[in-house]
C-alpha cells in the first residue's frame, strides 16, 4: 500500500515543479490488462456532506484476481484552504484514509494515491454502497475547492500471476453500514462491534487506523498536565497507542504513527513534499490468530479498538480479516496465556524542568514505556491442534526539551516508537510458520521561536520523520523470505512575523525524502529527492538497485511466500 508520485504514469517529475512530489513507489502490478471500475469522477468537495457512490464488481473479470488496486486523484484550487481528512468507503470498510495537500495563493496542487486492496477480495465480489468523505469549507476566506476521482483496477489471475491467497471474510468494526470513522475522545472510548463469526476460523487479523485530530493533532509535542502551563504546551502527555480487545480482554496493540499534516507546525515545511504517509496512511495489522479457537465457538464476540492517552480526539476505523478452515465445520480452542492483560499502558514520566527567579524555564520532560508480552492460544483444526502465539516488545521513548525566556521559546522533541514481534504457528512439536517484524517510528522536531526587540518574531523549524520495517518469514526454523522498507522525510523552514503577528515571509525552505525497499529475492527500489524554496530540486531513482523493475512482482505477491506489501502495514 503506498502513495504514488504526482506522475501516476511512472515518468519522473519535472525539476523545478511546485506540484506535489514524493519518493514513494506506486503499488506494483502483475502483467496483464486490468478491468476498471470507476467509483466516482471529478467530484467536488465544498462542504461536509458525504459523496455517495454505487459499486458493482467488474463483469469482465469474474474469476480469481491476482491483484486489486485502488487509484485516486485529487486536486485543490489555488487560494487559501486547510488540510482536510479524506476517506473512501465501501460496505462499512475503509478503502482509503489520508489527508489533503494545502494549496497556496499561486499553486493548485494535484496528487495521486494508491492502495493495494487485494486482501479485501470478498468485500469487492459483492455489489454495495460506498461514499467519499472530505469535509471542506468554501467561503470568502477559505477558497480552495477540492476535486477527486477514484477507481478500482482488477488484475485477472493467470499462470504468471496466480490468484492471491486472500481472507475468507472482512468485517468492519464501524456502525455505519456504508462507512465512517469513530471519534475516540478519551482512553475509555472505543470503536466496537459484536460479531457472530464462522465456526471454523483459523487465522484473524485487524487492520487499524488511528488518526489524531483536534487537540490531539500535535499529541507528540504534548506534556503531562502537571507541566502544561509551565511549558506553555498542550496537556494530556504524549504517549498514544491503539489498544485492541476481544470480549474486554486485551488482545493486541498498534503503535500510532506521528503523522504531520500539510498545515502542521509550518505549512511551508510540506511544500511540495509532504511528511511520511501524510497523503496516504498505512493501516497497522494486528495478529489476532491466538484467539481463533475462541472466535469459532459460535457465541457473539466483541472486537474493540481504543486509544491509550487519547485527549480529544482520535478518528478511528478498523476491519477484521478472517481465514477459515475449509475442511472443518467446527474449530475449537482457547487462549492459554495472555500476559498483556497484566500490563496496563502506564508510562513513566520524568522531569528536570525548572524556573529561575526571573521566570525563565529550562529542562527536559521524559516519557518512557516498555512492555513485553505473550498471547498464546490453540485451535483444533482439520490439520490437528495448532498452537499460535504472538510475542511482542513495544517501546516508547520521548524527550521534550524546553528553553523559555523573554526572547526565546524553543521546544525540541525527540521521540521513538519501536516494536519487535514474533508470530508463530505450530502443529505438534514442529514450528510450521514464524513471522518476525521490527518496526521503528523516529520523530525529531526542533521548534525555535525568537522575539526581537521590536516585537518581530522568527520561527525556525526542523522536522525529521522516519518509518522503517524489517519483516522475515520462517518455516521450520529456516528463513524463506525477508524484506526491508525505509522512508524518511527531513524538512526545514523559518517563518517571519511582524510585531502585530502578521506573516511577513519565510526563508530557508528545503526538504529531502528517501524511500527504499529491498528483499531477499533481489527485488529493490530506491528513490531520493530534494526540494528548495517550494520547488523540486533533485530527483534520482534506482540508485543502488541494479534493476529497479525487479520489484514489480515480488513486492506485489510472491505466491506462497510472504506478501511484502504487508511489511508496510505491520503484519
Amino acid at each position: 500500500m503506498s502513495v504514488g508520485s504526482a506522475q501516476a504514469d511512472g515518468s519522473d517529475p519535472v525539476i523545478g515543479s511546485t506540484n506535489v512530489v514524493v519518493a514513494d513507489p506506486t503499488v506494483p502490478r502483475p502483467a496483464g490488462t486490468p478491468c476498471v471500475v470507476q467509483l466516482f469522477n471529478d467530484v467536488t468537495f465544498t462542504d461536509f456532506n458525504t459523496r455517495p457512490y454505487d459499486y458493482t464488481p467488474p463483469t469482465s473479470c469474474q474469476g480469481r484476481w491476482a491483484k486489486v488496486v485502488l487509484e485516486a486523484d485529487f486536486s485543490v484550487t489555488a487560494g487559501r484552504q486547510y488540510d482536510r481528512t479524506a476517506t473512501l468507503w465501501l460496505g462499512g470498510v475503509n478503502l482509503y484514509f489520508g489527508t489533503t495537500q494545502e494549496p497556496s495563493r499561486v499553486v493548485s496542487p494535484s496528487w495521486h494515491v494508491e492502495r493495494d486492496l487485494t486482501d479485501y477480495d470478498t468485500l469487492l465480489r459483492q455489489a454495495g454502497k460506498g461514499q467519499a468523505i472530505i469535509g471542506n469549507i468554501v467561503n470568502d476566506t477559505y477558497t480552495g475547492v477540492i476535486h477527486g476521482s477514484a477507481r478500482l483496477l482488477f488484475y485477472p489471475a493467470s499462470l504468471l500471476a496466480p490468484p492471491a491467497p486472500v481472507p475468507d471474510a472482512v468485517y468492519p468494526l464501524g456502525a455505519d453500514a456504508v462507512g465512517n470513522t469513530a471519534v475516540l475522545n478519551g482512553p475509555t472510548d472505543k470503536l466496537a462491534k459484536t460479531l457472530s463469526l464462522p465456526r471454523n476460523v483459523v487465522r484473524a487479523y485487524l487492520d487499524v487506523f488511528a488518526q489524531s485530530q483536534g487537540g490531539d493533532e500535535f499529541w507528540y509535542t504534548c506534556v503531562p498536565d502537571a507541566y502544561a502551563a509551565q511549558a506553555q504546551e498542550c496537556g494530556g502527555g504524549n504517549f498514544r497507542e491503539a489498544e485492541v480487545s476481544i470480549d474486554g480482554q486485551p488482545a493486541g496493540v498498534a503503535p500510532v504513527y506521528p503523522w504531520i499534516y500539510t498545515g502542521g507546525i509550518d505549512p511551508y515545511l510540506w511544500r511540495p513534499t509532504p511528511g511520511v504517509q501524510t497523503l496516504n496512511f498505512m493501516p497497522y495489522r494486528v495478529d489476532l490468530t491466538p484467539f481463533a479457537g475462541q472466535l469459532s465457538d459460535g457465541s457473539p464476540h466483541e472486537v474493540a479498538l481504543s486509544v491509550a492517552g487519547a485527549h480529544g480526539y482520535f478518528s478511528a476505523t478498523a476491519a477484521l480479516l478472517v481465514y477459515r478452515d475449509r475442511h472443518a465445520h467446527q474449530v475449537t480452542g482457547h487462549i492459554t496465556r495472555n500476559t498483556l492483560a497484566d500490563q496496563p499502558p502506564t508510562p513513566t514520566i520524568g522531569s528536570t524542568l525548572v524556573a529561575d527567579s526571573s521566570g525563565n524555564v529550562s529542562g527536559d520532560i521524559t516519557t518512557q514505556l516498555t512492555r513485553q508480552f505473550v498471547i498464546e492460544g490453540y485451535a483444533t483444526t482439520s490439520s490437528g491442534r495448532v498452537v499460535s502465539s504472538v510475542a511482542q516488545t513495544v517501546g516508547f521513548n520521548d524527550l521534550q526539551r524546553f528553553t523559555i525566556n523573554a526572547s526565546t521559546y524553543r521546544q525540541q522533541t525527540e521521540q521513538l516508537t519501536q516494536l519487535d514481534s514474533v508470530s508463530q504457528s505450530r502443529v505438534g512439536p514442529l514450528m510450521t510458520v514464524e513471522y518476525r517484524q521490527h518496526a521503528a517510528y523516529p520523530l525529531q522536531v526542533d521548534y525555535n521561536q525568537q522575539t526581537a526587540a521590536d516585537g518581530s518574531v522568527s520561527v525556525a523549524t526542523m522536522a525529521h520523520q522516519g518509518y522503517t520495517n524489517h519483516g522475515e518469514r520462517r518455516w521450520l526454523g529456516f528463513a524463506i523470505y525477508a524484506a526491508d522498507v525505509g522512508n524518511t522525510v527531513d524538512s526545514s523552514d523559518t517563518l517571519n512575523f511582524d510585531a502585530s503577528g502578521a506573516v511577513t515571509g519565510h526563508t530557508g525552505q528545503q526538504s529531502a525524502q528517501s524511500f527504499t525497499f529491498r528483499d531477499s529475492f533481489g527485488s529493490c527500489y530506491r528513490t531520493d529527492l530534494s526540494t528548495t524554496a517550494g520547488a523540486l530540486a533533485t530527483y534520482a531513482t534506482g540508485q543502488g538497485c541494479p534493476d529497479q523493475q525487479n520489484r514489480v512482482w515480488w513486492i506485489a505477491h510472491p505466491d506462497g511466500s510472504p506478501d511484502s506489501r504487508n511489511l508496510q502495514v505491520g503484519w
Side-chain angles (χ1 to χ4, degrees):
M1 303 178 184
S2 62
V3 55
S5 72
Q7 284 65 40
D9 60 3
S11 63
D12 286 350
V14 177
I15 300 301
S17 171
T18 57
N19 197 21
V20 179
V21 59
V22 296
D24 310 48
T26 53
V27 174
R29 324 293 177 88
T33 302
C35 296
V36 179
V37 175
Q38 193 78 31
L39 299 179
F40 55 92
N41 186 49
D42 196 24
V43 170
T44 59
F45 297 88
T46 56
D47 52 37
F48 277 76
N49 296 325
T50 64
R51 303 297 191 266
Y53 50 81
D54 293 318
Y55 166 76
T56 302
T59 57
S60 300
C61 295
Q62 294 183 339
R64 299 289 300 278
W65 302 321
K67 173 81 75 168
V68 182
V69 179
L70 169 76
E71 292 186 345
D73 293 285
F74 299 102
S75 64
V76 57
T77 58
R80 178 181 293 177
Q81 192 54 266
Y82 287 121
D83 52 65
R84 302 296 187 179
T85 296
T87 55
L88 305 181
W89 305 86
L90 178 63
V93 176
N94 179 264
L95 304 183
Y96 162 75
F97 203 149
T99 59
T100 66
Q101 185 81 2
E102 284 196 353
S104 73
R105 184 172 47 84
V106 295
V107 176
S108 175
S110 61
W111 61 99
H112 176 83
V113 298
E114 300 186 356
R115 182 176 171 188
D116 186 337
L117 293 177
T118 309
D119 280 345
Y120 294 170
D121 179 290
T122 56
L123 169 75
L124 299 172
R125 292 194 176 276
Q126 306 294 323
K129 299 288 186 180
Q131 60 189 15
I133 304 175
I134 306 179
N136 191 30
I137 296 174
V138 177
N139 54 29
D140 291 341
T141 301
Y142 301 104
T143 58
V145 176
I146 299 172
H147 294 254
S149 301
R151 58 206 161 273
L152 292 170
L153 279 65
F154 298 82
Y155 290 83
S158 66
L159 288 176
L160 295 178
V166 297
D168 296 296
V170 180
Y171 300 92
L173 261 59
D176 191 312
V178 180
N180 209 333
T181 55
V183 173
L184 306 180
N185 275 303
T188 60
D189 293 343
K190 63 182 181 180
L191 165 65
K193 189 85 170 275
T194 299
L195 301 167
S196 294
L197 299 173
R199 290 176 174 262
N200 56 353
V201 175
V202 289
R203 285 191 290 149
Y205 305 90
L206 191 70
D207 281 355
V208 172
F209 286 102
Q211 180 213 18
S212 56
Q213 293 267 21
D216 262 334
E217 179 176 348
F218 302 105
W219 60 270
Y220 42 83
T221 66
C222 295
V223 298
D225 291 338
Y227 307 105
Q230 191 176 29
Q232 301 173 35
E233 254 298 355
C234 49
N238 53 39
F239 172 73
R240 303 290 186 275
E241 181 181 74
E243 311 280 336
V244 179
S245 65
I246 295 177
D247 299 329
Q249 179 182 7
V253 300
V256 173
Y257 191 84
W259 294 308
I260 303 178
Y261 315 136
T262 57
I265 307 175
D266 173 352
Y268 293 104
L269 293 168
W270 320 115
R271 300 176 184 175
T273 297
V276 171
Q277 298 184 12
T278 295
L279 301 180
N280 192 3
F281 305 153
M282 296 295 106
Y284 185 89
R285 183 164 290 183
V286 180
D287 187 353
L288 299 177
T289 300
F291 292 85
Q294 178 177 324
L295 295 173
S296 300
D297 64 7
S299 299
H301 294 283
E302 182 196 70
V303 181
L305 175 69
S306 59
V307 175
H311 198 64
Y313 65 100
F314 271 75
S315 185
T317 184
L320 181 68
L321 283 64
V322 167
Y323 293 79
R324 300 172 63 179
D325 186 340
R326 299 186 180 183
H327 303 288
H329 295 294
Q330 177 71 65
V331 167
T332 60
H334 296 284
I335 288 291
T336 56
R337 188 182 182 194
N338 187 348
T339 62
L340 179 60
D342 300 323
Q343 299 186 52
T346 306
T348 300
I349 308 297
S351 174
T352 61
L353 210 63
V354 295
D356 64 18
S357 58
S358 300
N360 301 321
V361 176
S362 63
D364 302 342
I365 301 173
T366 58
T367 304
Q368 193 274 333
L369 177 64
T370 300
R371 287 182 292 172
Q372 294 180 310
F373 61 88
V374 177
I375 301 175
E376 185 174 88
Y378 75 89
T380 304
T381 73
S382 61
S383 301
R385 185 182 175 110
V386 179
V387 178
S388 298
S389 65
V390 176
Q392 288 188 340
T393 300
V394 183
F396 178 87
N397 285 278
D398 181 273
L399 180 146
Q400 305 287 331
R401 176 162 293 157
F402 292 92
T403 303
I404 306 172
N405 54 50
S407 62
T408 300
Y409 180 91
R410 187 176 187 185
Q411 180 180 7
Q412 296 166 278
T413 298
E414 295 184 17
Q415 186 180 105
L416 178 62
T417 300
Q418 293 191 92
L419 179 141
D420 287 279
S421 178
V422 179
S423 294
Q424 295 180 354
S425 292
R426 303 186 303 274
V427 178
L430 298 178
M431 182 179 67
T432 57
V433 177
E434 178 179 288
Y435 177 69
R436 293 176 175 265
Q437 179 194 15
H438 171 76
Y441 306 160
L443 171 70
Q444 289 94 42
V445 178
D446 187 346
Y447 179 92
N448 190 353
Q449 177 178 312
Q450 299 290 327
T451 302
D454 64 358
S456 62
V457 175
S458 68
V459 179
T461 303
M462 293 186 293
H464 167 81
Q465 285 182 298
Y467 174 99
T468 62
N469 197 109
H470 170 80
E472 184 176 308
R473 186 79 67 177
R474 292 173 173 248
W475 182 70
L476 295 177
F478 296 95
I480 60 173
Y481 182 78
D484 290 276
V485 175
N487 188 3
T488 60
V489 173
D490 291 272
S491 299
S492 61
D493 184 63
T494 298
L495 275 174
N496 298 306
F497 302 83
D498 63 22
S500 68
V503 177
T504 58
H506 70 105
T507 58
Q509 179 189 15
Q510 60 182 354
S511 69
Q513 184 189 8
S514 177
F515 194 108
T516 61
F517 171 87
R518 189 179 295 272
D519 73 5
S520 55
F521 293 150
S523 304
C524 185
Y525 171 89
R526 177 165 182 168
T527 294
D528 302 271
L529 64 84
S530 66
T531 74
T532 302
L536 181 64
T538 64
Y539 186 90
T541 187
Q543 292 185 332
C545 293
D547 183 2
Q548 183 145 301
Q549 294 308 310
N550 283 342
R551 71 184 179 89
V552 169
W553 182 237
W554 287 113
I555 292 182
H557 171 233
D559 183 49
S561 299
D563 190 336
S564 60
R565 67 177 172 228
N566 290 314
L567 294 179
Q568 292 193 58
V569 300
W571 185 32

